[in-house]
Amino acid sequence: GLLVRASKQVFAISSLGVEQILYPGAGTLIQVGHTAMYQVGEDIYTTTTLEALLNLAPEQSREPEAPRPALLVRQDTGRSRIVFVPEIMGSLTLVVKNLGRYVPTIKGIIGATILGDGSVTPVLDLPDLLRRPARARVGGRGDPRPPFPGRHGRPWPARHDSRHPTGGGSGH
């Protein structure tokens, strides 16, 4: 998997569906009508950003036109898309842990992993995240809730329920 940083948060990305990592400037960003496309060699792909998929604020320190690393992701439909990420921190072997029965299934997150420094980070499934917005448009309504708790710079996971017997805490 990959370790990436977006909006001051660290995320692990499952290698599921990721066909290629493209260094900044490996292709050309072009505008086709109102759609941003990315041309790599003879191939042209639709684009999005990791921040858009996760409903995160875009990176403020980065110039909008500055080249970014990109991931070529194969969707379930067989088509590929480009997902721009602000920063790739490295690659790692992921040990994905289930979030448990007390955490609801969260679209686009297959679990969590513990990093070398002891912090816990969500493991993202990019094909699932790419599939989510299309389904929301079909019904005419999107889910106003963030796709996972961790939005707006809060650490992930953000909840600890001391009222539940397995939640720890002092029990009050």
PDB file of all heavy atoms in Angstrom, residues 8 10 37 53 64-65 67-68 71 75 87 95 97 101 105-106 108 112 115 118 124 137 143 146 149 152 158-159:
ATOM      1  N   LYS A   8      -3.258  17.771   5.957  1.00  0.00           N
ATOM      2  CA  LYS A   8      -2.569  17.557   7.241  1.00  0.00           C
ATOM      3  C   LYS A   8      -2.946  16.253   7.923  1.00  0.00           C
ATOM      4  O   LYS A   8      -2.754  16.087   9.117  1.00  0.00           O
ATOM      5  CB  LYS A   8      -2.804  18.737   8.173  1.00  0.00           C
ATOM      6  CG  LYS A   8      -2.283  20.044   7.618  1.00  0.00           C
ATOM      7  CD  LYS A   8      -2.556  21.179   8.551  1.00  0.00           C
ATOM      8  CE  LYS A   8      -2.079  22.471   7.894  1.00  0.00           C
ATOM      9  NZ  LYS A   8      -2.576  23.650   8.564  1.00  0.00           N
ATOM     10  N   VAL A  10      -2.826  11.840   7.574  1.00  0.00           N
ATOM     11  CA  VAL A  10      -2.148  10.724   6.917  1.00  0.00           C
ATOM     12  C   VAL A  10      -3.171   9.628   6.650  1.00  0.00           C
ATOM     13  O   VAL A  10      -3.996   9.311   7.508  1.00  0.00           O
ATOM     14  CB  VAL A  10      -0.998  10.189   7.805  1.00  0.00           C
ATOM     15  CG1 VAL A  10      -0.354   8.964   7.179  1.00  0.00           C
ATOM     16  CG2 VAL A  10       0.043  11.280   8.027  1.00  0.00           C
ATOM     17  N   MET A  37      -8.929  16.706 -17.585  1.00  0.00           N
ATOM     18  CA  MET A  37      -8.440  15.403 -18.037  1.00  0.00           C
ATOM     19  C   MET A  37      -6.917  15.404 -17.895  1.00  0.00           C
ATOM     20  O   MET A  37      -6.289  16.456 -17.850  1.00  0.00           O
ATOM     21  CB  MET A  37      -8.825  15.159 -19.498  1.00  0.00           C
ATOM     22  CG  MET A  37     -10.312  15.341 -19.803  1.00  0.00           C
ATOM     23  SD  MET A  37     -11.326  14.047 -19.143  1.00  0.00           S
ATOM     24  CE  MET A  37     -11.138  12.792 -20.358  1.00  0.00           C
ATOM     25  N   LEU A  53     -12.491  13.344  -3.064  1.00  0.00           N
ATOM     26  CA  LEU A  53     -13.106  12.057  -2.734  1.00  0.00           C
ATOM     27  C   LEU A  53     -13.440  11.944  -1.255  1.00  0.00           C
ATOM     28  O   LEU A  53     -14.393  11.265  -0.876  1.00  0.00           O
ATOM     29  CB  LEU A  53     -12.177  10.906  -3.137  1.00  0.00           C
ATOM     30  CG  LEU A  53     -12.016  10.656  -4.624  1.00  0.00           C
ATOM     31  CD1 LEU A  53     -10.957   9.594  -4.866  1.00  0.00           C
ATOM     32  CD2 LEU A  53     -13.332  10.245  -5.257  1.00  0.00           C
ATOM     33  N   PRO A  64      -2.322  25.962  -7.117  1.00  0.00           N
ATOM     34  CA  PRO A  64      -3.301  25.118  -7.808  1.00  0.00           C
ATOM     35  C   PRO A  64      -2.752  24.446  -9.061  1.00  0.00           C
ATOM     36  O   PRO A  64      -3.149  23.350  -9.393  1.00  0.00           O
ATOM     37  CB  PRO A  64      -4.432  26.081  -8.162  1.00  0.00           C
ATOM     38  CG  PRO A  64      -4.175  27.338  -7.418  1.00  0.00           C
ATOM     39  CD  PRO A  64      -2.756  27.315  -6.953  1.00  0.00           C
ATOM     40  N   GLU A  65      -1.848  25.090  -9.756  1.00  0.00           N
ATOM     41  CA  GLU A  65      -1.329  24.535 -11.006  1.00  0.00           C
ATOM     42  C   GLU A  65      -0.036  23.735 -10.816  1.00  0.00           C
ATOM     43  O   GLU A  65       0.528  23.243 -11.776  1.00  0.00           O
ATOM     44  CB  GLU A  65      -1.091  25.668 -12.014  1.00  0.00           C
ATOM     45  CG  GLU A  65      -2.365  26.426 -12.364  1.00  0.00           C
ATOM     46  CD  GLU A  65      -3.455  25.533 -12.936  1.00  0.00           C
ATOM     47  OE1 GLU A  65      -3.142  24.659 -13.781  1.00  0.00           O
ATOM     48  OE2 GLU A  65      -4.609  25.696 -12.540  1.00  0.00           O
ATOM     49  N   PRO A  67       2.422  20.773 -10.270  1.00  0.00           N
ATOM     50  CA  PRO A  67       2.268  19.334 -10.533  1.00  0.00           C
ATOM     51  C   PRO A  67       2.183  18.538  -9.231  1.00  0.00           C
ATOM     52  O   PRO A  67       2.853  18.861  -8.253  1.00  0.00           O
ATOM     53  CB  PRO A  67       3.530  18.969 -11.308  1.00  0.00           C
ATOM     54  CG  PRO A  67       4.135  20.252 -11.752  1.00  0.00           C
ATOM     55  CD  PRO A  67       3.656  21.310 -10.807  1.00  0.00           C
ATOM     56  N   ARG A  68       1.342  17.528  -9.242  1.00  0.00           N
ATOM     57  CA  ARG A  68       1.154  16.674  -8.075  1.00  0.00           C
ATOM     58  C   ARG A  68       1.376  15.230  -8.468  1.00  0.00           C
ATOM     59  O   ARG A  68       1.153  14.855  -9.612  1.00  0.00           O
ATOM     60  CB  ARG A  68      -0.274  16.815  -7.555  1.00  0.00           C
ATOM     61  CG  ARG A  68      -0.652  18.216  -7.149  1.00  0.00           C
ATOM     62  CD  ARG A  68      -2.104  18.286  -6.805  1.00  0.00           C
ATOM     63  NE  ARG A  68      -2.345  17.713  -5.489  1.00  0.00           N
ATOM     64  CZ  ARG A  68      -3.505  17.762  -4.877  1.00  0.00           C
ATOM     65  NH1 ARG A  68      -4.543  18.319  -5.435  1.00  0.00           N
ATOM     66  NH2 ARG A  68      -3.660  17.229  -3.696  1.00  0.00           N
ATOM     67  N   LEU A  71      -2.211   8.862  -8.985  1.00  0.00           N
ATOM     68  CA  LEU A  71      -2.400   7.418  -8.982  1.00  0.00           C
ATOM     69  C   LEU A  71      -3.355   7.070 -10.107  1.00  0.00           C
ATOM     70  O   LEU A  71      -4.413   7.683 -10.234  1.00  0.00           O
ATOM     71  CB  LEU A  71      -2.982   6.951  -7.652  1.00  0.00           C
ATOM     72  CG  LEU A  71      -2.209   7.361  -6.396  1.00  0.00           C
ATOM     73  CD1 LEU A  71      -2.955   6.912  -5.154  1.00  0.00           C
ATOM     74  CD2 LEU A  71      -0.810   6.801  -6.423  1.00  0.00           C
ATOM     75  N   GLN A  75     -11.140   1.270 -12.087  1.00  0.00           N
ATOM     76  CA  GLN A  75     -12.434   1.147 -11.433  1.00  0.00           C
ATOM     77  C   GLN A  75     -13.043  -0.223 -11.729  1.00  0.00           C
ATOM     78  O   GLN A  75     -12.577  -0.947 -12.607  1.00  0.00           O
ATOM     79  CB  GLN A  75     -13.361   2.248 -11.938  1.00  0.00           C
ATOM     80  CG  GLN A  75     -12.860   3.644 -11.588  1.00  0.00           C
ATOM     81  CD  GLN A  75     -13.742   4.699 -12.193  1.00  0.00           C
ATOM     82  OE1 GLN A  75     -13.457   5.193 -13.262  1.00  0.00           O
ATOM     83  NE2 GLN A  75     -14.817   5.036 -11.493  1.00  0.00           N
ATOM     84  N   GLU A  87       0.692  14.498  -1.437  1.00  0.00           N
ATOM     85  CA  GLU A  87       2.032  14.014  -1.087  1.00  0.00           C
ATOM     86  C   GLU A  87       2.011  12.515  -0.876  1.00  0.00           C
ATOM     87  O   GLU A  87       1.168  11.997  -0.131  1.00  0.00           O
ATOM     88  CB  GLU A  87       2.500  14.703   0.201  1.00  0.00           C
ATOM     89  CG  GLU A  87       3.833  14.244   0.716  1.00  0.00           C
ATOM     90  CD  GLU A  87       4.191  14.846   2.059  1.00  0.00           C
ATOM     91  OE1 GLU A  87       3.442  15.681   2.598  1.00  0.00           O
ATOM     92  OE2 GLU A  87       5.248  14.449   2.594  1.00  0.00           O
ATOM     93  N   VAL A  95      -0.959  -4.098   7.120  1.00  0.00           N
ATOM     94  CA  VAL A  95      -1.697  -5.087   7.886  1.00  0.00           C
ATOM     95  C   VAL A  95      -3.005  -4.393   8.228  1.00  0.00           C
ATOM     96  O   VAL A  95      -3.038  -3.469   9.034  1.00  0.00           O
ATOM     97  CB  VAL A  95      -0.945  -5.512   9.162  1.00  0.00           C
ATOM     98  CG1 VAL A  95      -1.792  -6.475   9.985  1.00  0.00           C
ATOM     99  CG2 VAL A  95       0.397  -6.124   8.803  1.00  0.00           C
ATOM    100  N   LYS A  97      -6.601  -4.013   9.745  1.00  0.00           N
ATOM    101  CA  LYS A  97      -7.423  -4.514  10.836  1.00  0.00           C
ATOM    102  C   LYS A  97      -8.863  -4.090  10.601  1.00  0.00           C
ATOM    103  O   LYS A  97      -9.129  -2.957  10.209  1.00  0.00           O
ATOM    104  CB  LYS A  97      -6.953  -3.942  12.183  1.00  0.00           C
ATOM    105  CG  LYS A  97      -5.559  -4.381  12.557  1.00  0.00           C
ATOM    106  CD  LYS A  97      -5.515  -5.855  12.693  1.00  0.00           C
ATOM    107  CE  LYS A  97      -4.649  -6.276  13.846  1.00  0.00           C
ATOM    108  NZ  LYS A  97      -4.732  -7.679  14.096  1.00  0.00           N
ATOM    109  N   ARG A 101     -17.141  -4.513  15.255  1.00  0.00           N
ATOM    110  CA  ARG A 101     -18.597  -4.497  15.119  1.00  0.00           C
ATOM    111  C   ARG A 101     -19.238  -3.240  15.681  1.00  0.00           C
ATOM    112  O   ARG A 101     -20.398  -2.965  15.417  1.00  0.00           O
ATOM    113  CB  ARG A 101     -19.195  -5.741  15.757  1.00  0.00           C
ATOM    114  CG  ARG A 101     -18.985  -5.826  17.234  1.00  0.00           C
ATOM    115  CD  ARG A 101     -19.579  -7.094  17.777  1.00  0.00           C
ATOM    116  NE  ARG A 101     -19.320  -7.161  19.216  1.00  0.00           N
ATOM    117  CZ  ARG A 101     -19.591  -8.179  19.949  1.00  0.00           C
ATOM    118  NH1 ARG A 101     -20.136  -9.230  19.410  1.00  0.00           N
ATOM    119  NH2 ARG A 101     -19.330  -8.160  21.232  1.00  0.00           N
ATOM    120  N   THR A 105     -19.953   0.185   8.974  1.00  0.00           N
ATOM    121  CA  THR A 105     -19.227   0.099   7.720  1.00  0.00           C
ATOM    122  C   THR A 105     -19.165   1.492   7.115  1.00  0.00           C
ATOM    123  O   THR A 105     -20.167   2.188   7.031  1.00  0.00           O
ATOM    124  CB  THR A 105     -19.934  -0.865   6.751  1.00  0.00           C
ATOM    125  OG1 THR A 105     -19.991  -2.151   7.372  1.00  0.00           O
ATOM    126  CG2 THR A 105     -19.196  -0.957   5.429  1.00  0.00           C
ATOM    127  N   ILE A 106     -17.982   1.902   6.715  1.00  0.00           N
ATOM    128  CA  ILE A 106     -17.781   3.235   6.163  1.00  0.00           C
ATOM    129  C   ILE A 106     -17.330   3.074   4.720  1.00  0.00           C
ATOM    130  O   ILE A 106     -16.330   2.416   4.437  1.00  0.00           O
ATOM    131  CB  ILE A 106     -16.736   4.021   6.983  1.00  0.00           C
ATOM    132  CG1 ILE A 106     -17.196   4.111   8.441  1.00  0.00           C
ATOM    133  CG2 ILE A 106     -16.530   5.403   6.400  1.00  0.00           C
ATOM    134  CD1 ILE A 106     -16.152   4.648   9.385  1.00  0.00           C
ATOM    135  N   GLY A 108     -15.637   3.227   1.342  1.00  0.00           N
ATOM    136  CA  GLY A 108     -14.296   3.615   0.922  1.00  0.00           C
ATOM    137  C   GLY A 108     -13.201   3.313   1.911  1.00  0.00           C
ATOM    138  O   GLY A 108     -12.034   3.582   1.645  1.00  0.00           O
ATOM    139  N   ALA A 112      -8.279  -0.272   9.194  1.00  0.00           N
ATOM    140  CA  ALA A 112      -7.283   0.656   9.721  1.00  0.00           C
ATOM    141  C   ALA A 112      -5.966  -0.085   9.857  1.00  0.00           C
ATOM    142  O   ALA A 112      -5.935  -1.324   9.888  1.00  0.00           O
ATOM    143  CB  ALA A 112      -7.730   1.209  11.064  1.00  0.00           C
ATOM    144  N   LEU A 115       0.610   2.447  12.302  1.00  0.00           N
ATOM    145  CA  LEU A 115       1.880   2.863  11.716  1.00  0.00           C
ATOM    146  C   LEU A 115       3.027   2.617  12.691  1.00  0.00           C
ATOM    147  O   LEU A 115       2.805   2.331  13.869  1.00  0.00           O
ATOM    148  CB  LEU A 115       1.814   4.341  11.327  1.00  0.00           C
ATOM    149  CG  LEU A 115       0.703   4.702  10.339  1.00  0.00           C
ATOM    150  CD1 LEU A 115       0.704   6.199  10.065  1.00  0.00           C
ATOM    151  CD2 LEU A 115       0.864   3.925   9.049  1.00  0.00           C
ATOM    152  N   GLY A 118       3.004   4.167  16.075  1.00  0.00           N
ATOM    153  CA  GLY A 118       1.909   3.796  16.955  1.00  0.00           C
ATOM    154  C   GLY A 118       0.584   4.446  16.620  1.00  0.00           C
ATOM    155  O   GLY A 118      -0.445   4.098  17.195  1.00  0.00           O
ATOM    156  N   LEU A 124      -7.713   3.275   2.821  1.00  0.00           N
ATOM    157  CA  LEU A 124      -8.685   3.660   1.812  1.00  0.00           C
ATOM    158  C   LEU A 124      -8.726   2.668   0.660  1.00  0.00           C
ATOM    159  O   LEU A 124      -7.700   2.139   0.262  1.00  0.00           O
ATOM    160  CB  LEU A 124      -8.343   5.051   1.256  1.00  0.00           C
ATOM    161  CG  LEU A 124      -8.184   6.172   2.274  1.00  0.00           C
ATOM    162  CD1 LEU A 124      -7.784   7.462   1.564  1.00  0.00           C
ATOM    163  CD2 LEU A 124      -9.448   6.362   3.077  1.00  0.00           C
ATOM    164  N   ARG A 137     -25.261  10.549  -7.176  1.00  0.00           N
ATOM    165  CA  ARG A 137     -25.917  11.374  -8.193  1.00  0.00           C
ATOM    166  C   ARG A 137     -27.119  10.663  -8.797  1.00  0.00           C
ATOM    167  O   ARG A 137     -28.089  11.294  -9.146  1.00  0.00           O
ATOM    168  CB  ARG A 137     -24.928  11.734  -9.300  1.00  0.00           C
ATOM    169  CG  ARG A 137     -24.011  12.870  -8.914  1.00  0.00           C
ATOM    170  CD  ARG A 137     -23.316  13.399 -10.135  1.00  0.00           C
ATOM    171  NE  ARG A 137     -22.488  12.404 -10.783  1.00  0.00           N
ATOM    172  CZ  ARG A 137     -21.216  12.206 -10.532  1.00  0.00           C
ATOM    173  NH1 ARG A 137     -20.605  12.914  -9.629  1.00  0.00           N
ATOM    174  NH2 ARG A 137     -20.540  11.289 -11.179  1.00  0.00           N
ATOM    175  N   ASP A 143     -25.115  12.151   0.335  1.00  0.00           N
ATOM    176  CA  ASP A 143     -25.109  12.059   1.779  1.00  0.00           C
ATOM    177  C   ASP A 143     -24.323  13.255   2.311  1.00  0.00           C
ATOM    178  O   ASP A 143     -23.158  13.407   2.003  1.00  0.00           O
ATOM    179  CB  ASP A 143     -24.448  10.742   2.203  1.00  0.00           C
ATOM    180  CG  ASP A 143     -24.590  10.482   3.684  1.00  0.00           C
ATOM    181  OD1 ASP A 143     -24.976  11.408   4.430  1.00  0.00           O
ATOM    182  OD2 ASP A 143     -24.300   9.347   4.098  1.00  0.00           O
ATOM    183  N   PRO A 146     -19.791  13.450   6.261  1.00  0.00           N
ATOM    184  CA  PRO A 146     -18.486  13.123   5.708  1.00  0.00           C
ATOM    185  C   PRO A 146     -18.369  11.612   5.546  1.00  0.00           C
ATOM    186  O   PRO A 146     -19.050  10.863   6.243  1.00  0.00           O
ATOM    187  CB  PRO A 146     -17.498  13.642   6.771  1.00  0.00           C
ATOM    188  CG  PRO A 146     -18.291  13.712   8.024  1.00  0.00           C
ATOM    189  CD  PRO A 146     -19.717  13.982   7.618  1.00  0.00           C
ATOM    190  N   PRO A 149     -15.161   9.631   9.956  1.00  0.00           N
ATOM    191  CA  PRO A 149     -14.837  10.626  10.972  1.00  0.00           C
ATOM    192  C   PRO A 149     -13.387  11.020  10.838  1.00  0.00           C
ATOM    193  O   PRO A 149     -12.610  10.336  10.889  1.00  0.00           O
ATOM    194  CB  PRO A 149     -15.083   9.876  12.285  1.00  0.00           C
ATOM    195  CG  PRO A 149     -15.050   8.429  11.937  1.00  0.00           C
ATOM    196  CD  PRO A 149     -15.352   8.316  10.482  1.00  0.00           C
ATOM    197  N   HIS A 152     -11.843  17.582   8.701  1.00  0.00           N
ATOM    198  CA  HIS A 152     -11.505  18.874   9.284  1.00  0.00           C
ATOM    199  C   HIS A 152     -10.368  18.774  10.287  1.00  0.00           C
ATOM    200  O   HIS A 152     -10.377  19.452  11.310  1.00  0.00           O
ATOM    201  CB  HIS A 152     -12.718  19.532   9.943  1.00  0.00           C
ATOM    202  CG  HIS A 152     -13.844  19.743   8.993  1.00  0.00           C
ATOM    203  ND1 HIS A 152     -13.726  20.507   7.857  1.00  0.00           N
ATOM    204  CD2 HIS A 152     -15.103  19.260   8.993  1.00  0.00           C
ATOM    205  CE1 HIS A 152     -14.873  20.499   7.207  1.00  0.00           C
ATOM    206  NE2 HIS A 152     -15.720  19.749   7.864  1.00  0.00           N
ATOM    207  N   ALA A 158     -12.040   9.260  15.673  1.00  0.00           N
ATOM    208  CA  ALA A 158     -12.235  10.400  16.549  1.00  0.00           C
ATOM    209  C   ALA A 158     -13.101  10.077  17.766  1.00  0.00           C
ATOM    210  O   ALA A 158     -13.297  10.917  18.599  1.00  0.00           O
ATOM    211  CB  ALA A 158     -12.875  11.536  15.758  1.00  0.00           C
ATOM    212  N   ARG A 159     -13.625   8.864  17.869  1.00  0.00           N
ATOM    213  CA  ARG A 159     -14.584   8.584  18.942  1.00  0.00           C
ATOM    214  C   ARG A 159     -14.043   7.542  19.912  1.00  0.00           C
ATOM    215  O   ARG A 159     -13.419   6.583  19.525  1.00  0.00           O
ATOM    216  CB  ARG A 159     -15.866   8.064  18.333  1.00  0.00           C
ATOM    217  CG  ARG A 159     -16.358   9.060  17.342  1.00  0.00           C
ATOM    218  CD  ARG A 159     -17.775   9.182  17.328  1.00  0.00           C
ATOM    219  NE  ARG A 159     -17.981  10.349  16.475  1.00  0.00           N
ATOM    220  CZ  ARG A 159     -18.967  10.514  15.690  1.00  0.00           C
ATOM    221  NH1 ARG A 159     -19.876   9.635  15.650  1.00  0.00           N
ATOM    222  NH2 ARG A 159     -19.088  11.582  14.956  1.00  0.00           N
TER     223      ARG A 159
END
